[in-house]
Amino acid sequence: MGNTRKIVKTGKSTPTREGAGVHLRRAFGFNEVPELDPFLLLDDFRSQEPAHYLAGFPWHPHRGIETITYMLAGSVEHGDSMGNKGTIGPGDVQWMTAGSGIIHQEMPKGDEQGRMGGFQLWANLPSGSKMMDPRYREVKGSAIPTVAPSTGCTARIICGEINGIVGPVRDIVTDPEYLDISLEAGASFTHRTKRGHTLFAYVIEGTVNAGETPVASEHLVIFDREGREAVFSAGKGKARFLLISGKPLGEPVAWYGPIVMNTEEELELAFEEYRKGTFIKKS
Ligand code: FE
């Protein structure tokens, strides 16, 4: 009993607009701090309407956080203040640690059917790492291991470990797990995670039972931090969900737009530096 994570909350992601007017669904954000600490935001930007995403996310700064982009369809072209350029496509992950600051743009493109999409997660950095040098981990889909932890279940391990198989993204300060779990009808999956770590799932497709609670597509389920295990199963149809955990920071959050610091003073300084052109510390 005491070993099973209890559900604290479930809820549907809500439509919103970001960047230059991109339509997306937000699973959680500003209002869920500190519930999801160290995570700040999760956006589901899957779309079949090019007019809803082509304007993209033109040049903007980030400081104090990591942004994690996981693509399922179409592509996103990326360019930044350090001169990095690249395209991430279906199955690929970009784990970007903004640290002391980057200025970048993210421009989506559809596939032949006009589909584009994936997820962007923001993870907070602890005070001692907020001003670390910016860093990128670009992971091609082919480098992400897929394991079958139980009958009818497949798991893509972006970050974390299942049955001794470790995902390609390592050495992240908040000790996260980032898993993409697919269940065939009737299949189940039990996940053990660290006590005290935040754990949530976001349903991509179908309906997932979290314990006994059915959670529909585009819904978020947040667990308590007490137990070690969470059990998921699919009913009559297949289901797919993201399962993410991380170590809470328990620090004050000063957040405005794409910059997240600990104090208002640090936040003001960041925007002042951005206006003055002294924002970038490492290029
Ligand atoms: Fe960004």
Side-chain angles (χ1 to χ4, degrees):
M1 264 306 279
N3 222 18
T4 305
R5 294 275 189 136
K6 289 185 187 64
I7 293 172
V8 174
K9 199 190 215 172
T10 65
K12 191 169 191 188
S13 54
T14 52
T16 184
R17 288 187 198 193
E18 268 302 339
V22 177
H23 297 235
L24 47 80
R25 301 192 66 89
R26 181 151 296 159
F28 63 85
F30 198 78
N31 294 328
E32 283 76 29
V33 174
E35 213 169 359
L36 282 148
D37 181 14
F39 303 106
L40 296 163
L41 170 153
L42 178 66
D43 283 343
D44 174 352
F45 57 89
R46 291 176 291 166
S47 175
Q48 308 193 20
E49 273 301 326
H52 284 176
Y53 60 75
L54 284 176
F57 306 88
W59 296 100
H60 59 277
H62 287 288
R63 175 180 285 177
I65 61 168
E66 302 187 280
T67 68
I68 299 118
T69 309
Y70 178 32
M71 294 299 293
L72 294 187
S75 63
V76 169
E77 260 182 45
H78 173 265
D80 73 22
S81 49
M82 295 183 284
N84 295 308
K85 252 182 192 317
T87 302
I88 48 173
D92 299 347
V93 170
Q94 183 196 66
W95 198 296
M96 184 192 83
T97 305
S100 60
I102 58 114
I103 299 172
H104 76 164
Q105 64 171 350
E106 302 156 285
M107 304 306 281
K109 279 210 174 81
D111 65 12
E112 275 150 29
Q113 284 85 45
R115 291 172 307 188
M116 188 287 303
F119 307 94
Q120 189 169 83
L121 175 71
W122 290 13
N124 206 356
L125 286 168
S127 55
S129 302
K130 282 194 178 291
M131 295 303 282
M132 69 186 277
D133 287 345
R135 180 176 77 181
Y136 283 91
R137 306 262 169 95
E138 301 260 6
V139 184
K140 286 284 165 209
S142 55
I144 298 171
T146 299
V147 297
S150 55
T151 310
C153 173
T154 53
R156 295 191 83 214
I157 310 171
I158 293 158
C159 183
E161 178 182 343
I162 295 177
N163 294 349
I165 308 293
V166 182
V169 181
R170 296 173 199 182
D171 305 318
I172 301 290
V173 251
T174 46
D175 192 17
E177 297 175 295
Y178 193 128
L179 308 169
D180 174 359
I181 311 287
S182 296
L183 295 173
E184 296 296 331
S188 66
F189 170 62
T190 299
H191 185 62
R192 267 178 89 75
T193 195
K194 288 181 184 152
R195 208 180 285 278
H197 282 205
T198 296
L199 178 72
F200 72 87
Y202 180 73
V203 182
I204 303 177
E205 192 191 316
T207 293
V208 177
N209 300 310
E212 306 288 309
T213 307
V215 186
S217 185
E218 299 184 333
H219 283 65
L220 175 78
V221 51
I222 307 172
F223 297 88
D224 71 3
R225 293 184 179 133
E226 298 305 312
R228 292 287 311 271
E229 281 184 6
V231 181
F232 301 90
S233 62
K236 293 194 190 85
K238 333 191 242 195
R240 184 176 178 190
F241 59 102
L242 301 178
L243 184 59
I244 295 170
S245 76
K247 187 181 188 323
L249 301 176
E251 293 181 357
V253 172
W255 179 355
Y256 187 77
I259 297 176
V260 186
M261 304 303 288
N262 294 111
T263 67
E264 289 301 316
E265 291 70 29
E266 290 166 343
L267 204 53
E268 276 163 33
L269 177 68
F271 281 97
E272 191 189 316
E273 288 180 345
Y274 186 55
R275 278 191 301 274
K276 284 179 57 204
T278 57
F279 182 78
I280 296 299
K281 306 299 175 197
K282 175 99 183 174
S283 54

